[in-house]
Amino acid sequence: MDIDRRKDLGLLALRLGAGGVLMAHGTQKLFGWFGGGGVDGTAKAMEHMGFVPGRQSAIAAGLGEAGGGALLALGLATPAAGAAAAGAMAGAVSVHAPAGFFAQGGGFEYPAFLGFVAAGLGLAGPGRHSVDHFTRHRLDRPAVLALAFALSAAAATVVVGRRTAALAAAAAPGEVSDGDPLSGVDA
């Protein structure tokens, strides 16, 4: 087997594996599948983690994971898929970062790994065994790549920044609640 064929099969394996894991996590959030909380349960958890409003955060995270994962698995709009999944994982990394790197201690190792794989696939492209290849890469062009990663990075920066601010406000003693579910919460 020649090296190009091996690379295409390797990209297919990575897309199917990472895309499948991301889809499973996203469907937990969106539909409650695989023991997940669904949108309502995830919304409560998201608010507890500082992502407000919780419902919109749950839907965005679920779509980034399930949608990005499905598109990665198919090899469709691969740059946008990789960027969306990587952006969703940036939020998860921000939650786990205080616990350090390694997953066994609650750290960010696992979401960071999924994010890096998704970003890598988005940058590398899907290979020959993909819908993008079949459609002559109409949604896998340099402009799509640049726009998708720029938007994902900007969105992740805003979301993580808002989370940090919400957590800081919740931790500040004597703050008056402004309707934010984290304001004035006693830990």
Side-chain angles (χ1 to χ4, degrees), residues 15 74-76 126-140:
R15 287 193 352 259
L74 292 169
L76 175 60
R128 292 180 55 90
H129 308 295
S130 66
V131 176
D132 277 338
H133 181 75
F134 179 74
T135 62
R136 297 179 187 220
H137 298 277
R138 295 200 192 286
L139 298 173
D140 179 25

Side-chain angles (χ1 to χ4, degrees), residues 102-145:
F102 292 103
Q104 72 260 28
F108 65 93
E109 171 185 18
Y110 184 63
F113 181 74
L114 285 175
F116 283 126
V117 170
L121 287 167
L123 292 167
R128 292 180 55 90
H129 308 295
S130 66
V131 176
D132 277 338
H133 181 75
F134 179 74
T135 62
R136 297 179 187 220
H137 298 277
R138 295 200 192 286
L139 298 173
D140 179 25
R141 302 199 185 258
V144 173
L145 177 86

Side-chain angles (χ1 to χ4, degrees), residues 31-124:
F31 309 118
W33 295 354
F34 310 112
V39 171
D40 292 335
T42 303
K44 289 177 188 170
M46 294 293 258
E47 285 190 7
H48 180 73
M49 290 181 275
F51 294 103
V52 289
R55 184 169 186 79
Q56 288 87 343
S57 298
I59 292 168
L63 289 174
E65 293 175 11
L71 291 173
L72 278 175
L74 292 169
L76 175 60
T78 305
M89 291 298 98
V93 166
S94 76
V95 171
H96 293 277
F101 178 73
F102 292 103
Q104 72 260 28
F108 65 93
E109 171 185 18
Y110 184 63
F113 181 74
L114 285 175
F116 283 126
V117 170
L121 287 167
L123 292 167

